[in-house]
Amino acid sequence: MEVGFTHHQAAHCENGVASNLLKHNGFDISEPMIFGIGSGLFFVYIPFLKVNHAPAISYRPMPGTIFNKAAKRLGFSVKRVKFSNPKAAEKALDDNLKNNIPTGLQVGVFGLTYFPDEYRFHFNAHNCVVYGKTETDYLVSDPVMETVTTLTHKDMEKVRFAKGAFAPKGQMYYPTSIPKKSDLPQAITKGIKETCRDMLAPVPFVGVKGIRTVAKLIPKWAAKQGIKKANHYLAQIVRMQEEIGTGGGGFRFIYAAFLQEASVILKNEQLKVLSLEMTKIGDLWRDFAVNASRVYKNRSTQTDVYNTLSKEMLHIADLEEAFFKKLKKAIS
Amino acid sequence: MKKNEVPQDEGNLSKSNMKELVYATDENGNYTTELSSGWEPKTIALSNSLEDINERVAEALMRVKDSKSSPIVYFMEVNRMDINILAGYVGMWKWRIKKHFKPKVFAGLSDRVLSRYAEAFNISLSELKKFKAE
């Protein structure tokens, strides 16, 4: 069985799934819009959670929250189900397909056989859409892929029941009601307000302050944990920032694209100016990635390079702080 | 990032003919999308992590060879897992898994327990039981 479904490639999996599922239901909305309205821009440092033997750093919120927030603000409802039993999970998915409902899934990346081997890590916050089933395979629309792909029934069970941090527990989700018309300006304003609040949060692990905390740790990692570990941690920062699904520059370019679209809808010229500013900040994140990669490639032993990187990141944090203060003013 | 600056480096993606989508600005400064085959700093970051994994695997293999660790440690590293992830897959407490890391304890494990590990590592029971570090 197969549901007619149009695949659009996206920069980031969760926005992409959300945007594709809504388009399928006749609600035409771009990926950056979902990202902005769902307050997708974020920064968090979780020192006690280790991912690939390095502290967890994320440039986006918890899996699922972008779609949920966008849904709430645009006025459609999303059904989300988790399972403890793989057989029940399979049946629920198959029932959905029988009812012509393309279904979003949270999956683990390690078992995604259509990914290049180098990308297959135990990372459980990936999203894709299943739109059909054959004798042997499930038909999969993974937004970060250029075209649609497949997974065997067995592999599907594996990725849905991947284990470790953020284990998906077979989670599936799909929009159940679509509003004919949404209050887009209000949804945009709400999304922006929350992003400003998060990025300017007075908590040392979140937003601009979180970026500062990590920036200050870089030289300390080198001094206390040794060059090897420090380089591994640096590589982890760059990977989270530039991995498939971030659209480059730790999501900054997607956000800039959102602000540009928003400036037209809200008829707010200031947002267009801020979009350009966010693009520049995104470029600086990319410069940071270039410089960081030089450090762990050359395995430089000077302690100064870590201080330079740290200063670069602190500079970005200053720019972002000023940026989000301006953004908050621009929409109030 | 301008559209003509979108990196098109050789990388882990281009090897498998994959391209990722990124947002970039056109000549008028308006946002549009462009496909990218890869970007060197990213490839280096990924290689760095893979090298790290390879080192861990080699080290685990040595420990198995010297009878300091059981094959479970080796297969855990090969599968890019840490003890938390392994605990999730086999459904056992971490302290129990840690005991199974010892070759002597491993030798006395029942097939029932071992098959849980074999399934987590996607290998057969005999592959796990007969594993010899060369």
Side-chain angles (χ1 to χ4, degrees):
Chain A
M1 59 201 149
E2 184 179 340
V3 183
F5 187 75
T6 319
H7 172 85
H8 303 271
Q9 192 179 9
H12 171 55
C13 62
E14 191 178 335
N15 316 321
V17 164
S19 161
N20 284 346
L21 283 178
L22 289 179
K23 275 179 185 158
H24 176 82
N25 285 286
F27 191 88
D28 193 19
I29 190 159
S30 72
E31 178 192 5
M33 262 302 159
I34 293 280
F35 185 71
I37 292 173
S39 304
L41 196 79
F42 197 55
F43 184 93
V44 63
Y45 162 62
I46 316 172
F48 51 83
L49 181 66
K50 291 270 195 283
V51 177
N52 296 323
H53 311 280
I57 286 168
S58 177
Y59 290 78
R60 68 164 194 187
M62 290 277 287
T65 53
I66 298 178
F67 197 6
N68 280 353
K69 281 179 186 164
K72 208 171 135 201
R73 287 168 191 161
L74 289 167
F76 59 87
S77 20
V78 178
K79 178 141 170 113
R80 220 170 246 287
V81 206
K82 282 186 181 181
F83 300 89
S84 52
N85 179 349
K87 285 287 156 262
E90 187 181 350
K91 189 177 175 297
L93 177 59
D94 293 355
D95 286 348
N96 257 9
L97 294 173
K98 266 180 213 149
N99 294 324
N100 284 322
I101 304 170
T103 304
L105 294 179
Q106 187 192 332
V107 294
V109 170
F110 188 71
L112 292 178
T113 42
Y114 55 80
F115 263 26
D117 199 35
E118 289 89 343
Y119 279 86
R120 293 173 58 189
F121 287 93
H122 293 277
F123 173 73
N124 289 331
H126 190 66
N127 294 274
C128 61
V129 173
V130 171
Y131 66 95
K133 188 183 187 180
T134 65
E135 286 284 298
T136 50
D137 295 328
Y138 277 102
L139 309 179
V140 177
S141 155
D142 187 321
V144 305
M145 307 287 288
E146 277 181 88
T147 53
V148 291
T149 176
T150 57
L151 268 184
T152 64
H153 297 168
K154 198 176 165 221
D155 287 340
M156 180 57 82
E157 185 182 312
K158 263 192 199 154
V159 297
R160 292 183 76 187
F161 286 89
K163 298 294 185 338
F166 306 121
K169 300 194 172 80
Q171 183 163 182
M172 60 181 226
Y173 55 92
Y174 49 97
T176 47
S177 77
I178 301 286
K180 290 208 173 60
K181 211 168 177 306
S182 286
D183 188 352
L184 211 49
Q186 197 200 340
I188 292 170
T189 312
K190 273 192 183 162
I192 293 178
K193 272 192 184 150
E194 187 176 324
T195 301
C196 291
R197 200 179 63 218
D198 287 347
M199 290 305 287
L200 298 171
V203 188
F205 302 118
V206 174
V208 172
K209 284 205 154 66
I211 301 175
R212 287 207 182 101
T213 303
V214 173
K216 285 177 193 154
L217 278 172
I218 294 173
K220 283 185 194 155
W221 284 336
K224 284 189 185 152
Q225 314 242 33
I227 302 293
K228 198 170 173 295
K229 266 220 166 133
N231 286 351
H232 177 60
Y233 290 0
L234 268 181
Q236 174 91 344
I237 296 178
V238 173
R239 274 183 53 207
M240 294 318 284
Q241 176 191 328
E242 293 290 343
E243 190 65 83
I244 314 184
T246 65
F251 298 109
R252 267 62 187 167
F253 299 124
I254 307 183
Y255 204 69
F258 158 69
L259 289 177
Q260 187 188 295
E261 230 181 302
S263 84
V264 180
I265 295 168
L266 295 179
K267 300 187 186 64
N268 184 336
E269 270 306 304
Q270 183 63 18
L271 291 184
K272 172 96 195 196
V273 177
L274 287 167
S275 162
L276 292 174
E277 198 174 321
M278 181 93 285
T279 306
K280 285 196 188 114
I281 293 174
D283 287 335
L284 289 176
W285 276 110
R286 283 175 77 84
D287 291 345
F288 172 79
V290 172
N291 294 333
S293 73
R294 284 197 185 123
V295 171
Y296 51 72
K297 191 187 183 186
N298 300 335
R299 316 215 158 191
S300 172
T301 47
Q302 303 161 298
T303 49
D304 205 37
V305 289
Y306 297 99
N307 283 320
T308 316
L309 280 177
S310 168
K311 276 186 198 136
E312 210 179 327
M313 212 164 165
L314 286 173
H315 177 59
I316 294 176
D318 290 344
L319 292 178
E320 292 209 343
E321 184 172 9
F323 174 89
F324 287 106
K325 281 183 177 160
K326 276 186 262 179
L327 183 60
K328 204 172 157 187
K329 264 199 188 139
I331 49 136
S332 59
Chain B
M1 183 170 50
K2 297 198 180 70
K3 201 174 166 180
N4 56 11
E5 292 168 359
V6 170
Q8 303 293 351
D9 300 341
E10 293 270 311
N12 299 306
L13 287 177
S14 57
K15 264 191 283 176
S16 24
N17 267 327
M18 263 175 80
K19 278 187 178 172
E20 64 178 305
L21 185 119
V22 294
Y23 285 82
T25 51
D26 65 12
E27 52 279 4
N28 302 318
N30 290 324
Y31 264 94
T32 175
T33 58
E34 178 69 299
L35 291 175
S36 164
S37 60
W39 192 39
E40 204 197 349
K42 201 162 141 175
T43 310
I44 302 170
L46 198 54
S47 326
N48 180 286
S49 304
L50 291 173
E51 263 170 45
D52 187 70
I53 288 169
N54 290 341
E55 272 172 36
R56 297 182 74 93
V57 170
E59 198 184 310
L61 194 63
M62 278 305 289
R63 290 185 63 88
V64 178
K65 208 174 167 184
D66 297 346
S67 302
K68 284 181 190 152
S69 295
S70 77
I72 290 173
V73 177
Y74 169 74
F75 283 110
M76 178 177 82
E77 297 295 349
V78 167
N79 283 284
R80 302 177 183 176
M81 292 174 175
D82 60 22
I83 190 162
N84 290 309
I85 297 170
L86 181 57
Y89 275 101
V90 294
M92 294 181 211
W93 295 100
K94 281 193 274 178
W95 58 263
R96 194 168 163 211
I97 295 175
K98 272 185 193 157
K99 283 204 298 187
H100 300 166
F101 283 178
K102 293 180 184 146
K104 270 191 187 153
V105 179
F106 176 80
L109 287 179
S110 70
D111 279 5
R112 205 170 54 83
V113 171
L114 284 173
S115 60
R116 276 156 83 176
Y117 283 107
E119 198 185 330
F121 299 139
N122 208 7
I123 54 176
S124 69
L125 180 60
S126 67
E127 270 176 281
L128 180 60
K129 279 169 95 172
K130 289 179 184 150
F131 179 76
K132 290 268 181 304
E134 296 293 324

